[in-house]
Amino acid sequence: MDLRPMTYRVGAGPSSSDDGPPPHDVPSGSRTQFFTQGEYWKTSRRTMNTKLMKPHAVSDYFPDINSTTSEFIERVRLLKSQHRDGLSVSELPYEINKFTMEAVGKMLLGVRIGTLEKQVSPKIQQFIEAIGRMFLTGHQLMAFAKVHQLLRTRAWREHVESWDTIYSLSDELIAPQIDAATRRLEENPPAPGDKLDLISHMVAAQTFTREEIIDNVTETFMGGVDTVANGVSFLFYLLSKNESAQSKLRAEVDNVLGTRECTMNDLQAMPYVKAVVKETMRLFPPIPINARVTQEDVVISNYRIPKGTIIMLNNYTMSRDERIFSDPDTFNPDRWLRAESATWHPFSAIPFGYGVRSCVGRRVSENLMYISAIQMVQNFFLKKDPSFDITPLVRTQFAPGPELPVHFVERGLSSPCTYPMASEQLGALTASAVPLGFREELRAVCDDEEGNN
Ligand code: HEM
């Protein structure tokens, strides 16, 4: 059966053309891995695979992931100290979002964006808000996008404006990297085996225009930030709720690492860390629904499905199927360590999709989640705040809502965190001056859906 990934562009409807890049019809770059098929997609995917999927390339990101995570841990320490209960972090999912933006940004753009700075610059603040708004309005445009476009609805206008803001800043961040890479490569042509960052690698490939590099890197970044942020949020939530799993995780981390940083090699000795992340993705897949378009007539389970039909795959229900996962709603990482897991249908839980179009950020996402889990238990005991619970929402992606009921209790190990921030500096830090407009709006939408208004 030939199934193609369904690519969907606002205003353009599903596309499955083989004719290379479709035209721009919203400010979103369309000449990217997400939105193309055929030869153009293959070239771009091959280039990204080299930097994001190959083990030796992925291993190079570990020092950056470790140091960004350490900064985030220090930020948690600061924010909880400013909270009235001394244990919680207000708007934790938003803080996690800034953390993953910084981590994924460094991997893809090669530069630090500055979202974890004590004072986030107004421009970066705008960027963060625009990404949030783009996802929020993108969800509203899922149905009847053409009608929104025709009527120029508020959702449509805000969506387009958000992409404008995102592209204007990513141009500013990425263009200098392209120039610098071009100069470097002209002066010192790369030898086989030289380590190049993603942008230099794309420049060296000589198959992409400058705009194509900017579009590709920007949209890969957009695809990565919220997904992995939602994964990390659900991870912390589930650990806080399941203290015995958390203790097992901590025991493994203490045994293998103690207080030192994790390298890619260490992961081989930490099956429970991996099982915890797998189990999080099973219960709360950040992309709850995936899709394909049939390329020929097929019969599946006695249903005739004509060519050109969009088939939706519901990751959420698939991975909670009790015919495969006993006690499916329970967080039980051990299930992945039992011999029987090898016999499960390979499609029983596919949070990163499947096949050649599966997630190109899978390896880096998993590593970011492993290191987040590791550093969290090295530094804190996570306890569930008994006063409330999450009500997950689908906002294009599956997200936990605006607050997480997680308390951070200091573990008090000596030097658990490698981030060299002196305590005086910490004291001087203030929560970043963030205009609340967008977040309040998101909260209002969530309250609406929960019937709180
Ligand atoms: C927990 C985190 C993540 C989850 C759950 C996730 C999930 C997915 C899923 C389900 C797909 C569609 C796969 C298919 O149709 O078979 C996808 C595609 C994609 N993801 Fe991710 N993703 C995550 C993080 C990331 C990150 C960090 C990046 C970038 C570094 C990224 C970049 C992409 C790209 C570029 C595609 C399109 C690939 C193509 O069409 O060739 N993702 N992701």
Side-chain angles (χ1 to χ4, degrees):
M1 183 193 337
D2 186 12
L3 292 175
R4 293 263 170 93
M6 190 189 92
T7 60
Y8 188 78
R9 290 177 301 128
V10 175
S15 122
S16 61
S17 113
D18 247 342
D19 311 330
H24 281 260
D25 59 354
V26 290
S28 134
S30 297
R31 289 155 298 169
T32 67
Q33 221 177 300
F34 275 111
F35 297 111
T36 53
Q37 314 273 355
E39 280 310 312
Y40 185 87
W41 168 79
K42 263 190 216 155
T43 309
S44 128
R45 175 76 197 215
R46 211 177 298 124
T47 313
M48 291 273 175
N49 274 352
T50 310
K51 296 310 296 177
L52 295 174
M53 294 296 271
K54 295 257 164 72
H56 64 88
V58 173
S59 140
D60 291 343
Y61 297 125
F62 267 65
D64 281 334
I65 299 181
N66 267 305
S67 64
T68 317
T69 311
S70 301
E71 282 181 47
F72 172 67
I73 295 277
E74 285 312 314
R75 184 150 174 87
V76 166
R77 216 164 245 138
L78 168 75
L79 294 175
K80 88 187 184 79
S81 76
Q82 294 172 340
H83 195 279
R84 65 183 179 289
D85 66 12
L87 295 168
S88 313
V89 172
S90 296
E91 300 182 327
L92 182 56
Y94 174 73
E95 290 297 329
I96 292 174
N97 209 286
K98 291 199 297 181
F99 154 52
T100 57
M101 200 177 280
E102 197 63 48
V104 176
K106 180 70 174 72
M107 286 186 254
L108 296 181
L109 280 51
V111 285
R112 291 294 301 260
I113 299 178
T115 61
L116 296 175
E117 302 266 306
K118 56 182 173 183
Q119 206 65 44
V120 178
S121 80
K123 213 176 245 180
I124 299 299
Q125 190 56 50
Q126 257 187 325
F127 189 56
I128 298 171
E129 303 265 330
I131 295 173
R133 200 178 291 278
M134 183 275 288
F135 278 116
L136 189 66
T137 51
H139 185 75
Q140 292 159 1
L141 298 179
M142 283 267 175
F144 307 117
K146 274 198 177 291
V147 177
H148 282 279
Q149 183 181 22
L150 203 70
L151 299 176
R152 292 277 182 268
T153 59
R154 181 168 168 214
W156 174 265
R157 280 182 278 116
E158 286 190 359
H159 191 72
V160 172
E161 277 162 27
S162 307
W163 273 115
D164 277 343
T165 308
I166 292 167
Y167 263 98
S168 108
L169 196 84
S170 68
D171 272 6
E172 266 183 55
L173 286 169
I174 300 169
Q177 306 299 319
I178 299 177
D179 294 338
T182 311
R183 273 196 308 276
R184 257 195 327 270
L185 293 167
E186 273 166 12
E187 282 159 22
N188 292 309
D194 274 0
K195 284 189 178 176
L196 300 178
D197 59 44
L198 176 67
I199 291 178
S200 304
H201 182 68
M202 292 184 87
V203 172
Q206 295 185 342
T207 38
F208 302 98
T209 65
R210 185 185 177 83
E211 288 68 35
E212 284 167 353
I213 296 178
I214 294 175
D215 285 1
N216 243 311
V217 174
T218 305
E219 289 192 8
T220 303
F221 178 65
M222 291 301 118
V225 168
D226 275 50
T227 34
V228 73
N230 291 328
V232 171
S233 292
F234 286 124
L235 170 71
F236 293 165
Y237 166 72
L238 287 167
L239 286 175
S240 75
K241 256 186 105 166
N242 295 279
E243 294 194 17
S244 72
Q246 192 188 145
S247 302
K248 267 190 173 178
L249 173 70
R250 185 173 290 105
E252 186 177 88
V253 170
D254 285 357
N255 190 25
V256 177
L257 298 174
T259 58
R260 74 174 169 83
E261 274 184 4
C262 175
T263 64
M264 191 143 129
N265 284 342
D266 290 322
L267 287 172
Q268 285 162 19
M270 292 196 281
Y272 201 75
V273 170
K274 293 183 182 173
V276 161
V277 168
K278 256 189 148 162
E279 185 68 344
T280 303
M281 294 280 102
R282 180 185 73 80
L283 280 174
F284 293 112
I287 304 283
I289 291 178
N290 202 351
R292 289 290 188 273
V293 181
T294 50
Q295 299 300 303
E296 57 196 61
D297 294 348
V298 280
V299 175
I300 302 175
S301 300
N302 242 5
Y303 287 91
R304 186 182 306 284
I305 303 174
K307 176 180 173 178
T309 306
I310 298 169
I311 301 185
M312 311 290 278
L313 313 156
N314 191 326
N315 281 329
Y316 181 82
T317 46
M318 274 159 55
S319 61
R320 288 187 185 230
D321 186 339
E322 61 193 0
R323 288 170 299 179
I324 295 174
F325 302 105
S326 57
D327 204 2
D329 297 332
T330 300
F331 181 72
N332 178 10
D334 282 292
R335 70 173 86 238
W336 295 102
L337 303 176
R338 292 192 204 116
E340 68 182 71
S341 69
T343 65
W344 291 337
H345 193 288
F347 281 14
S348 49
I350 44 170
F352 293 98
Y354 177 76
V356 288
R357 294 298 294 238
S358 68
C359 178
V360 76
R362 174 183 186 150
R363 294 242 158 85
V364 294
S365 303
E366 286 173 338
N367 290 336
L368 185 53
M369 291 180 73
Y370 299 149
I371 291 179
S372 301
I374 289 168
Q375 288 209 20
M376 238 341 129
V377 299
Q378 281 177 321
N379 284 274
F380 300 111
F381 295 102
L382 304 184
K383 306 256 179 209
K384 162 87 178 45
D385 176 347
S387 66
F388 74 106
D389 211 339
I390 57 167
T391 313
L393 307 151
V394 178
R395 293 253 136 276
T396 311
Q397 296 183 15
F398 200 31
E403 296 286 357
L404 278 188
V406 177
H407 283 165
F408 298 90
V409 178
E410 283 294 341
R411 195 174 166 196
L413 285 183
S414 57
S415 62
C417 174
T418 50
Y419 183 54
M421 187 186 264
S423 53
E424 317 80 77
Q425 273 176 298
L426 254 185
L429 285 185
T430 48
S432 43
V434 172
L436 284 177
F438 165 70
R439 282 178 281 156
E440 274 162 2
E441 193 177 313
L442 175 61
R443 194 187 293 272
V445 173
C446 300
D447 282 350
D448 250 359
E449 292 196 356
E450 287 162 28
N452 295 343
N453 281 342

